[in-house]
């Protein structure tokens, strides 16, 4: 199983509409990537590791797929439309991490 | 519910022993932070978002707790011992993200 993690960097002027992200964007991605997309999840940054520090990421999203091939098959044809929705909930430029779930 | 995410940055010389991490380190953290620690999880970086790119993080670990207070209560007294174990599985300096689970 692989996890596609989308990390939205924090910054003093960073904006992120979590309500839109969890009720509109992620469900849209899941529906467009069905049935390959197995799950969606999201978190909002609260803090960093040092006392009083900001979270490095204002928000993080996760999608799981059975394999890298399943992700590419599902995401590729919908990439343009999915990416075009990003300005509707944030002014940040996300970083993508594709991982193998180990535990 | 909050998630404490530990991100291990990738680099050409980065080393990470995933077997040690999932069989020794994370179970040790969970046991020391019991019963407040609700779950442990881990992923190994495969790729970034651009074709052919490296994963930004060589590995990622996750711990969940009911609240920030529960995390601090459980982690604080064990922080020194937990952090001292890091060189046993990696030569990288992790970044900490504490998040509220939103979905």
């Amino acid at each position: 199983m692989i996890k596609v993690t989308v990390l939205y960097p924090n910054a003093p002027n960073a904006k992120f509409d979590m309500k839109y992200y969890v009720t509109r964007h992620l469900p849209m991605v899941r529906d467009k990537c069905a049935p390959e997309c197995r799950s969606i999840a999201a978190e909002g940054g609260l803090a960093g590791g040092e006392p009083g520090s900001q979270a490095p990421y204002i928000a993080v999203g996760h999608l799981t797929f059975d394999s890298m091939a399943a992700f590419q098959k599902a995401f590729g044809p919908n990439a343009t439309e999915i990416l075009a929705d990003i300005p509707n909930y944030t002014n940040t430029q996300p970083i993508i991490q594709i991982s193998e779930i180990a535990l």
Side-chain angles (χ1 to χ4, degrees), chain A:
Chain A
M1 183 81 81
I2 68 152
K3 181 185 277 192
V4 178
T5 299
V6 188
L7 302 139
Y8 297 87
N10 210 348
N13 66 340
K15 294 176 185 173
F16 196 92
D17 182 342
M18 183 60 83
K19 185 178 176 189
Y20 184 96
Y21 190 61
V22 302
T23 63
R24 304 275 297 274
H25 180 77
L26 280 178
M28 178 269 284
V29 176
R30 178 191 56 204
D31 292 348
K32 288 197 177 294
C33 294
E36 285 84 2
C37 179
R38 301 301 189 184
S39 70
I40 55 176
E43 298 126 31
L46 289 175
E50 301 299 316
S53 64
Q54 295 281 309
Y57 298 104
I58 191 170
V60 185
H62 307 280
L63 309 161
T64 58
F65 295 86
D66 286 347
S67 66
M68 186 78 98
F71 162 63
Q72 288 165 339
K73 175 188 168 197
F75 188 79
N78 298 296
T80 303
E81 198 171 348
I82 290 169
L83 298 178
D85 191 43
I86 296 177
N88 291 326
Y89 58 88
T90 188
N91 61 351
T92 68
Q93 287 271 19
I95 294 166
I96 308 293
Q97 162 97 10
I98 303 176
S99 302
E100 179 82 34
I101 295 177
L103 178 68

